Amino acid sequence: MHLLKVLQKNRSLLLVSSGHFTVDIFGNLWPVMFPLLALSFGLSYAQVGLIATLYQTSSSLGQPLFGYLGDRFGSRFLASGGIMSTACCVSLVGYIPSYPALLTLAAIAGLGSAAFHPQGALSTAYMGGEHKGTNMSIFTMGGTTGFALGPLIGAALIIRHGLQGLVFLALPASLYGLWLYRTMKELDRRRVAVAVPSDDAPRGAIPFGKLSIVILISTLRAWAIAGVITYIPLLYKERGFGVDFSSQIIFLIIGFSVFGMFGGGFLADRFSPKLVVSASLLLATPAILLFLHTPFPSLIVFAVLTGILLEASLPITLVAAQELLPRYVGMASGLALGLSFTVGAIGILLTGLLADRHGLLMALSLLAMPSFLGALLSLGFPEIARTRERRIKVVV
C-alpha cells in the first residue's frame, strides 16, 4: 500500500523507473552470453571477466561527467540516448566477428548505461517529498527488476535463436527511448523550476571524509554482487547445469533484491540509515558463503537472502551522497553509482584471475570479504539521509 501511494502521488517516478528497468535489462544480458562467448572465442575466465570489466568501467567512469552535464543542461537527451545506445550495442553481440571487436562493443554499451543512470537518479531526487528513501528505492527497484528479468529474457532468446536472437530486443527498447525523450521534456522543465536551493541549504567545502565512506561502502557492495552474478553461469556450467538453470538463479538473486531495496529505503525513512546499512551488509557475508557451498535445492534460500541483503543499502547510499552534495545532485549520483560500478568491474577481473589460479569456487567465496568490510565501514556512515530534509518546493 505504501508503494502504491507513492507511485500514485508522483507518476513521474514511474516514468523514470521504467527507463531504469529498460536499460538494465541489457546490462545483465552479459552473464547468460558468457558461456557461449567463451566457447566461440576460446576465452579464459580472465578474458570473460575483461568483457564485464570494460562494460562496467565505461559505465562507471562516465557517470560523474554525465551527471554534471545533466545538472547543467538537462537530462532527457542523455537518458533516452543512453537507453538506445546500450540496447543497440548489446543486441548486436551475436554478430561480432572477433574478441577485440567484442571488447569495443562492450565499452560503448557501457557508455550508454553511464549516460542514463545519473539522469534517472537526478530526476528522482528532485521529486522531493518526505519519502526520499522510498522514492530512491522505487527508482533502483525499476533497474533491479530489469536486471533480474534480463537473464531470463536473454536465455529464452539464446536457447531458441542463439546469440543472434538478442537483436529482437533492439527495436522495442529504441522506441521506448524515443518516447522517453518526448515525455521527459515536461519533467526536465519541472526539475529546473524546483532545483533552486533555499538560502539555508548547505554551502562551503565538500565533506570528502563522509562522502568517501558512503562511496566506499557502495563500491564494496557492488563488487560482491557483480562478482556473484557474473560468474554464476560459469560455476553452474562446471557443475553440469545449463544456461536456463543459471539464469533462473540470477533471477532469484536480483529479483528478490527488489524487496531488499524497497525494505532498505522504507526502514531508513523510519529508523537509522546507518543501522540498516550495517545490519544488511553484515548478514550478507554468511549468506554469500552459504549460497555458494549449499547444494540444490537448499541454495535457493541463500540465493534469495544474498540478493535481499546485498542490495538493501543501495538506495540509502545513493540518497546519502545526494544529501552531501545538494547543489550537484547529478554529479553526486554519478559518483555514488559510477565509482561503485568501477570497483565492481575491477573486482570482476580480479575474481577471474583468482579463478584461473585457484578455482572458481574459491574465488567466489572470497566475495564475502567486501561485504564484511562494508559492514565495518558503515560504523562511520553519516546520519543525514533521514534526519535532514532539503527544502525544495516541488511542483506536482
Side-chain angles (χ1 to χ4, degrees), residues 92-171:
L92 291 174
V93 165
Y95 299 90
I96 295 302
S98 67
Y99 181 64
L102 179 61
L103 294 178
T104 302
L105 197 69
I108 297 173
L111 288 175
S113 177
F116 173 82
H117 279 91
Q119 316 313 322
L122 167 63
S123 299
T124 302
Y126 282 121
M127 290 171 190
E130 61 182 18
H131 303 295
K132 289 186 294 183
T134 301
N135 286 353
M136 196 58 67
S137 293
I138 293 171
F139 169 71
T140 55
M141 283 165 57
T144 301
T145 304
F147 214 62
L149 291 175
L152 295 180
I153 295 171
L157 289 172
I158 289 171
I159 290 171
R160 189 174 181 84
H161 303 288
L163 288 175
Q164 291 79 7
L166 297 177
V167 76
F168 293 117
L169 298 175
L171 180 59

Side-chain angles (χ1 to χ4, degrees), residues 19-20 23 80 91 94 102 109 139 149 153 157 173 175 185 188 194 270 277 279 281-282 291 307-308 376:
H20 201 187
V23 76
S80 60
S91 297
L102 179 61
F139 169 71
L149 291 175
I153 295 171
L157 289 172
L175 291 175
K185 182 177 181 179
D188 249 1
V194 304
R270 285 154 180 77
V277 173
L281 290 176
L282 184 61
F291 163 59
I308 291 174
L376 294 179

Side-chain angles (χ1 to χ4, degrees), residues 5-14 127-128 135 190:
K5 287 181 181 179
V6 173
L7 287 174
Q8 289 171 355
K9 187 176 180 180
N10 198 338
R11 294 183 180 179
S12 296
L13 182 58
L14 181 60
M127 290 171 190
N135 286 353
R190 278 203 273 161

Side-chain angles (χ1 to χ4, degrees), residues 151-285:
L152 295 180
I153 295 171
L157 289 172
I158 289 171
I159 290 171
R160 189 174 181 84
H161 303 288
L163 288 175
Q164 291 79 7
L166 297 177
V167 76
F168 293 117
L169 298 175
L171 180 59
S174 297
L175 291 175
Y176 179 83
L178 292 173
W179 179 76
L180 186 67
Y181 179 78
R182 294 189 61 184
T183 53
M184 278 190 74
K185 182 177 181 179
E186 176 63 18
L187 185 57
D188 249 1
R189 185 192 65 79
R190 278 203 273 161
R191 182 186 62 79
V192 172
V194 304
V196 179
S198 63
D199 292 336
D200 62 345
R203 299 175 182 268
I206 296 174
F208 285 107
K210 293 180 180 179
L211 188 62
S212 296
I213 290 175
V214 171
I215 292 175
L216 189 53
I217 291 171
S218 184
T219 59
L220 290 168
R221 177 205 59 79
W223 179 359
I225 192 70
V228 169
I229 291 170
T230 298
Y231 290 105
I232 280 300
L234 294 170
L235 177 66
Y236 285 112
K237 182 183 177 183
E238 287 185 353
R239 295 176 175 177
F241 294 96
V243 68
D244 52 341
F245 178 81
S246 57
S247 67
Q248 291 166 13
I249 295 299
I250 293 174
F251 174 78
L252 284 175
I253 295 172
I254 303 173
F256 276 89
S257 72
V258 170
F259 296 98
M261 289 181 183
F262 181 73
F266 180 84
L267 292 172
D269 280 337
R270 285 154 180 77
F271 305 104
S272 165
K274 178 191 292 187
L275 177 61
V276 177
V277 173
S278 299
S280 61
L281 290 176
L282 184 61
L283 292 173
T285 303

Side-chain angles (χ1 to χ4, degrees), residues 16 22 32 81 89 152 165 182 211 228 230 234 280 313 316 323 341 354 378 392:
V16 175
T22 303
V32 294
C89 287
L152 295 180
R182 294 189 61 184
L211 188 62
V228 169
T230 298
L234 294 170
S280 61
S313 60
I316 306 172
E323 288 283 318
F341 288 165
L354 289 171
S378 66
I392 297 176

